[in-house]
Amino acid sequence: MAPIPGRPAASPRPGCRSRGVPGRELVAPTVVAILGALAYLAFPDDLAFFTRIIVAALFVMSLDLVVGYCGVATLGHAVLYGAGAYAAGILCVDGLTDPLLLIAAGSVAGVVAGLVTALVILRAHGLPQLVLSIAVVQLAYEAANKARDITGGSDGLSGISPGPVFGLFEFDLWGRTAYVLALVLLIATLVVLRRVVRSPFGLLCRGIKQDPDRIRAIGGTIYGNLVKMYALSGAVAGLAGGLTAVTTGVVGLDSVSFEWSAEALVMLVLGGAGTLYGALVGAVVFTGFEHYVAAVDPYHWLFVVGALLIGVVLALPAGLGSLAAWLRRLLPQGAP
Amino acid sequence: MTAALEVQSLCRSFDGIVVADNISLSLAAGDRVALIGPNGAGKTTFVNLVTGTLKPDAGRILLAGVDVTAVSDVERVRRGLVRTFQITRLFPDMTVHEHLMLALLQRAEKTGRLFASLDSFKDAGAEADDLIAQLGLAPVADVKVRALAYGHQRLVEIAIAVALKPKVLLLDEPAAGIPHDEVLRIIEALERLPADLAILMIEHDMDLVFRFAERVIVLAAGKIVCQGTPEEVGRDPAVRAVYLGSYASRDRDALGPGPTVGRGRA
Amino acid sequence: MNVLLSIAFDALAYGMVLFIICIGLSVMMGLMRVINLAHGAFAMIGGYIASYVAGPMGWGYVPALVCGVIGAALIALPLERLLYRRVYGASDPLVQVLMTIGLTFCIIGATNFLFGSAMRAIPLPALISGPVDLGVRTVPAHRLFVIACGVVIASGLWYLIERTSFGIRLRATVDNTGMAGALGVRTDWIYTATFALAVGLAAFGGAVGAEIMPLDPYYALRYMVTFLVVVSVGGAGSIGGALVAALLLGFVDTTGRYLAPNYGEFFFYLAVIAIVFVFPHGLLRRGA
């Protein structure tokens, strides 16, 4: 503690350094929009693949809200995603064809699934919490499998053919409409979530993650706020699920599987938990790798992901998203 | 006048070992009381009982005349009973400014706000900057606390407590673990606390106790053995026997009637 | 009646295999406070080595089991030094979860590279390959052998931990690593020995249980969750807890599959949620 005689003459201007730079909130969404547009122009044949990446990114961001910002240990997040996917898919098969309404319905279903999941898994901490989350996703999987009449069971739910967006833009064979819709939803979600994580509520959640008992000592409650974050996370995961149902036209059992939950967690940790753009990086890197390596041999793919995971966890705990900062530190200080 | 905090016959034991044995005490607004006692006397247990982290086996706790014995720890904080921690309990990845924003917004019950930017709470921001400046933390306002010196962290603990605008403040060894010459900073901070705040301080540092407290309560084996002005307690042979014995022989000066200098009562 | 008996017998055998594999994980998680999702991968390594020794090399069943145990421990020890040691007691369980999932992926990839993706069997000796008449009904001898192995291992471990000096040092290290170290217990050696023991038991379970839990490269992933669940339900570090949890969950799973095959593992996970709700720290938690 540096000895400072008396009081400092004047406090520095509030809002210095990182705080309150106007317009800073819009940097990341703008970057995503530009990259998304470039991808659209440069790779018009891969739009379905890019749409898949965007869905994964939305799902991983949703996971980040509870894992990265609240410190909840979950390997069952696919329940929220699957609820959205099945809700949108089933409603569409039953005759509701407006894609935006379907996605909104998916989002609502995600909220409900989030609340139910939160009710079960937030009762425990650490390992029991992890196990409860696994149990919840396995139950949901078996339930979806058993309810074959509604969900199509292991054959998957097909026959989802939504109408045009705003009654104008048909879903085309090249996936252009789907891609643009997904990109717009991603950017909108990013804007909203960046707001949330920088809100008083976001600050409180970071506090809950770092030391829940200390939050109680300043008069904050834990359970209710975590449930609230879970509901929000469910809205985003359900949106991702609804989006996948609408853009691909099928919903499979894997959308409520332990594997999909674990993959999302892997993507999150690869990219860096606790930063929304880390979730984006993780989804892009993982899905991209998967696309190219798994096409050669799925086992090679597993080996590569495994090695990458071990490396990131041990050497780069803040994820690949922090790679730039890490490289900068490696450079000698004051180098020209 | 109703006491700000009243503790009546508080009892608690763990596996047959009594850690709080019929403790009663009362703090009025503006009181400056120190709770001292040897290690294992049950001081921190007492704090935990009062804040509600531990449940008493018997006894009552009243805040401003209202029985809060059955009220949760969180609700007690909201009713104005705030504590600091003996070993700093801060959020390592938050800046000093963020700590104060969190405390201020929690106090104002605005932490449920999902879609409002933190920067839009200009009043809280200004108040946080104000508190930071008052405690001399301005140069480190935007530093994450994990990178702060321990002395600074202790000041952040106090700043959070102040931000919560308590009526009763329990300070659990506010000067623990920092070098002696830096204790002055803590004392300065404590002296600037609002005059009508009732403060119970647990402390080992005798300089701090004599300088700060107008009343001293001595706890040993979960029991109050003696209480009075610092001078009276310093003279009490029973206290010397249970607690001050070794201290007195080593550093007799510290037990002399110390100056009870300004307690910030403007 | 016959159906019930046969379910009970299968459940007991399955529960014993679960126990043999999980008990190592339980001790490891109790001692090193590490959530090791790669435990199933070590069981799989043991099974694969045993299948290679008993099959292509033709050394016979018992040498195959021994080689499986020793081989898996030898493969695991460098991993303990290089990887696990860095995440013991990590404050964020996700670090351990992700690292051990990564390790599992790597082991699956390597296993497929070395042995291919087809299912592997471990040829049984004549003594335990046929049926045995128990009077009430005949049962596969292999199941009896597995149950006997489980009983022997449970009592052996109990003896090791409660009655030997290694056990005393192990328990001291579990209770308070720092204090045990100050008393002269070489805690890093205890960690290594426990890790080897845990992996050895997993490998043994993987090899003897291959009839019940078939070996292929995805074994490590398929049973990853099951093992973790058993340990969590039993309470990390508790032999009795692991035994009760393994037998109970083995029973629930087997019964569920017999009586309501369409529901898959529905009842298994329903039981898990119920148990974790009622006993959040495990069925029989040591010292709590």
Side-chain angles (χ1 to χ4, degrees):
Chain A
M1 179 152 99
I4 301 162
R7 277 194 213 187
S11 69
R13 295 203 55 73
C16 63
R17 262 178 276 174
S18 63
R19 280 186 254 142
V21 181
R24 196 169 141 267
E25 287 184 20
L26 295 175
V27 175
T30 313
V31 170
V32 172
I34 293 171
L35 288 177
L38 286 177
Y40 181 86
L41 296 173
F43 305 99
D45 295 336
D46 290 327
L47 293 182
F49 168 56
F50 292 149
T51 307
R52 224 173 75 220
I53 291 186
I54 291 177
V55 167
L58 282 167
F59 182 43
V60 177
M61 283 201 296
S62 142
L63 181 64
D64 199 11
L65 290 181
V66 290
V67 174
Y69 286 94
C70 294
V72 175
T74 171
L75 273 168
H77 210 61
V79 174
L80 285 61
Y81 173 91
Y86 275 115
I90 291 166
L91 281 175
C92 187
V93 171
D94 287 350
L96 179 71
T97 55
D98 184 279
L100 294 182
L101 273 183
L102 287 173
I103 291 172
S107 196
V108 171
V111 171
V112 174
L115 290 175
V116 173
T117 306
L119 221 57
V120 176
I121 80 166
L122 294 178
R123 297 282 298 254
H125 303 279
L127 176 64
Q129 185 172 64
L130 203 62
V131 167
L132 279 178
S133 73
I134 294 171
V136 169
V137 74
Q138 301 278 24
L139 278 186
Y141 180 89
E142 297 296 351
N145 187 22
K146 184 76 183 114
R148 166 171 291 279
D149 296 343
I150 321 171
T151 62
S154 51
D155 298 335
L157 180 67
S158 51
I160 305 167
S161 44
V165 182
F166 298 126
L168 291 173
F169 306 100
E170 291 274 359
F171 286 99
D172 51 301
L173 272 178
W174 302 271
R176 287 185 199 140
T177 307
Y179 176 76
V180 173
L181 176 64
L183 187 61
V184 168
L185 284 176
L186 175 70
I187 292 166
T189 308
L190 199 57
V191 170
V192 172
L193 292 190
R194 284 180 68 85
R195 201 67 197 267
V196 170
V197 301
R198 284 169 174 71
S199 70
F201 180 69
L203 188 61
L204 180 75
C205 286
R206 282 168 56 205
I208 290 175
K209 181 189 180 188
Q210 292 175 43
D211 190 344
D213 290 342
R214 190 67 176 95
I215 288 290
R216 293 180 70 85
I218 65 167
T221 48
I222 311 298
Y223 188 76
N225 285 305
L226 288 182
V227 170
K228 191 167 159 184
M229 193 58 137
Y230 238 102
L232 180 70
S233 173
V236 179
L239 179 115
L243 182 63
T244 206
V246 166
T247 54
T248 62
V250 285
V251 179
L253 271 184
D254 55 343
S255 64
V256 275
S257 63
F258 165 75
E259 287 77 11
W260 181 221
S261 312
E263 270 179 26
L265 194 61
V266 169
M267 291 186 230
L268 179 60
V269 170
L270 280 182
T275 60
L276 291 173
Y277 82 102
L280 282 177
V281 171
V284 171
V285 170
F286 183 94
T287 318
F289 252 114
E290 185 187 37
H291 190 64
Y292 293 108
V293 184
V296 183
D297 181 339
Y299 288 101
H300 292 170
W301 153 241
L302 268 185
F303 194 88
V304 171
V305 175
L308 207 58
L309 255 184
I310 296 175
V312 165
V313 169
L314 294 182
L316 211 63
L320 291 174
S322 68
L323 203 56
W326 186 72
L327 286 174
R328 220 174 296 136
R329 251 182 290 126
L330 277 189
L331 295 172
Q333 297 290 316
Chain B
M1 185 188 154
T2 330
L5 169 71
E6 186 162 358
V7 175
Q8 297 174 346
S9 319
L10 212 56
C11 295
R12 169 77 200 215
S13 52
F14 291 118
D15 295 332
I17 299 162
V18 180
V19 284
D21 186 0
N22 204 20
I23 300 176
S24 296
L25 58 84
S26 156
L27 262 75
D31 272 359
R32 298 290 189 267
V33 178
L35 183 68
I36 63 173
N39 282 326
K43 300 180 301 268
T44 296
T45 303
F46 177 71
V47 171
N48 288 336
L49 284 169
V50 173
T51 57
T53 349
L54 277 178
K55 295 272 164 272
D57 298 331
R60 297 204 309 160
I61 295 155
L62 290 87
L63 268 182
V66 181
D67 190 336
V68 294
T69 320
V71 163
S72 75
D73 53 347
V74 172
E75 182 55 31
R76 291 184 206 189
V77 176
R78 291 177 176 180
R79 294 190 192 182
L81 175 70
V82 171
R83 70 170 297 180
T84 63
F85 288 85
Q86 182 183 345
I87 299 162
T88 51
R89 288 283 290 275
L90 301 170
F91 307 107
D93 287 326
M94 279 189 203
T95 67
V96 176
H97 188 265
E98 282 171 334
H99 275 86
L100 293 181
M101 286 299 277
L102 180 54
L104 288 165
L105 293 169
Q106 180 59 49
R107 171 73 197 162
E109 296 186 359
K110 285 178 182 157
T111 45
R113 303 281 287 275
L114 269 174
F115 300 110
S117 163
L118 270 180
D119 300 324
S120 67
F121 295 89
K122 298 249 185 283
D123 293 351
E127 201 176 340
D129 281 324
D130 218 37
L131 275 169
I132 287 171
Q134 274 180 34
L135 290 169
L137 290 167
V140 292
D142 288 316
V143 177
K144 288 186 176 174
V145 301
R146 70 158 74 246
L148 286 187
Y150 199 65
H152 276 140
Q153 294 188 3
R154 304 252 46 151
L155 287 172
V156 176
E157 277 273 350
I158 294 173
I160 291 175
V162 176
L164 292 169
K165 301 182 187 67
K167 297 188 178 69
V168 179
L169 179 58
L170 308 176
L171 294 167
D172 196 352
E173 301 199 22
I178 60 172
H180 198 77
D181 53 332
E182 287 175 6
V183 172
L184 198 64
R185 292 279 295 279
I186 304 284
I187 294 178
E188 272 177 26
L190 296 181
E191 283 170 351
R192 267 201 297 268
L193 292 173
D196 59 348
L197 177 58
I199 301 179
L200 181 70
M201 177 169 71
I202 291 174
E203 189 48 72
H204 274 306
D205 188 312
M206 282 304 148
D207 282 347
L208 193 51
V209 169
F210 277 92
R211 194 161 163 186
F212 172 84
E214 58 203 9
R215 185 150 60 95
V216 177
I217 297 173
V218 185
L219 200 66
K223 236 187 193 116
I224 294 182
V225 284
C226 158
Q227 56 180 312
T229 64
E231 295 78 14
E232 287 164 0
V233 168
R235 280 195 300 269
D236 191 310
V239 175
R240 284 174 183 257
V242 296
Y243 176 62
L244 299 174
S246 56
Y247 196 94
S249 57
R250 202 177 64 236
D251 190 357
R252 196 164 283 278
D253 286 348
L255 293 175
T260 7
V261 287
R263 292 189 307 267
R265 303 201 169 181
Chain C
M1 188 62 199
N2 246 352
V3 178
L4 279 184
L5 261 180
S6 123
I7 292 176
F9 197 73
D10 274 2
L12 187 60
Y14 178 54
M16 278 301 183
V17 176
L18 281 183
F19 168 74
I20 296 171
I21 296 178
C22 292
I23 183 58
L25 180 60
S26 178
V27 172
M28 196 193 292
M29 281 172 53
L31 174 58
M32 287 89 127
R33 315 228 180 286
V34 57
I35 299 176
N36 181 17
L37 290 179
H39 197 70
F42 294 130
M44 181 176 83
I45 291 177
Y48 265 92
I49 294 177
S51 83
Y52 187 74
V53 172
M57 286 172 65
W59 283 14
Y61 193 66
V62 174
L65 293 185
V66 173
C67 289
V69 169
I70 294 175
L74 287 180
I75 291 173
L77 282 182
L79 297 175
E80 194 261 347
R81 290 274 159 169
L82 291 173
L83 302 178
Y84 281 85
R85 220 147 254 238
R86 295 154 172 252
V87 300
Y88 283 159
S91 59
D92 186 355
L94 287 180
V95 169
Q96 304 168 338
V97 166
L98 269 299
M99 192 201 81
T100 52
I101 284 186
L103 185 59
T104 308
F105 285 176
C106 286
I107 292 176
I108 293 175
T111 306
N112 176 68
F113 181 76
L114 292 173
F115 295 97
S117 60
M119 198 183 284
R120 288 267 162 166
I122 305 175
L124 296 176
L127 187 63
I128 58 170
S129 60
V132 170
D133 192 350
L134 284 184
V136 251
R137 59 176 278 107
T138 52
V139 294
H142 173 259
R143 298 276 197 279
L144 273 183
F145 171 68
V146 166
I147 294 170
C149 286
V151 172
V152 169
I153 282 177
S155 33
L157 268 182
W158 176 83
Y159 183 82
L160 178 73
I161 289 179
E162 298 294 331
R163 287 285 185 276
T164 64
S165 77
F166 173 79
I168 291 171
R169 283 178 287 164
L170 177 68
R171 279 180 289 145
T173 314
V174 171
D175 289 342
N176 189 332
T177 304
M179 181 55 82
L183 290 173
V185 176
R186 289 200 48 199
T187 54
D188 66 327
W189 186 85
I190 293 279
Y191 277 17
T192 306
T194 309
F195 197 92
L197 179 71
V199 169
L201 284 168
F204 183 73
V208 274
E211 294 281 307
I212 300 170
M213 295 154 82
L215 284 171
D216 64 54
Y218 273 114
Y219 180 99
L221 213 51
R222 190 177 324 117
Y223 298 110
M224 163 192 276
V225 166
T226 315
F227 300 150
L228 188 72
V229 163
V230 169
V231 171
S232 172
V233 165
S238 153
I239 298 181
L243 185 61
V244 174
L247 294 181
L248 184 67
L249 292 175
F251 180 76
V252 172
D253 199 25
T254 311
T255 318
R257 281 171 200 279
Y258 264 99
L259 299 183
N262 294 335
Y263 284 89
E265 294 186 303
F266 193 84
F267 293 106
F268 180 83
Y269 285 104
L270 209 57
V272 168
I273 291 184
I275 296 172
V276 175
F277 258 72
V278 183
F279 306 95
H281 300 292
L283 287 168
L284 307 168
R285 191 182 176 216
R286 262 195 61 144

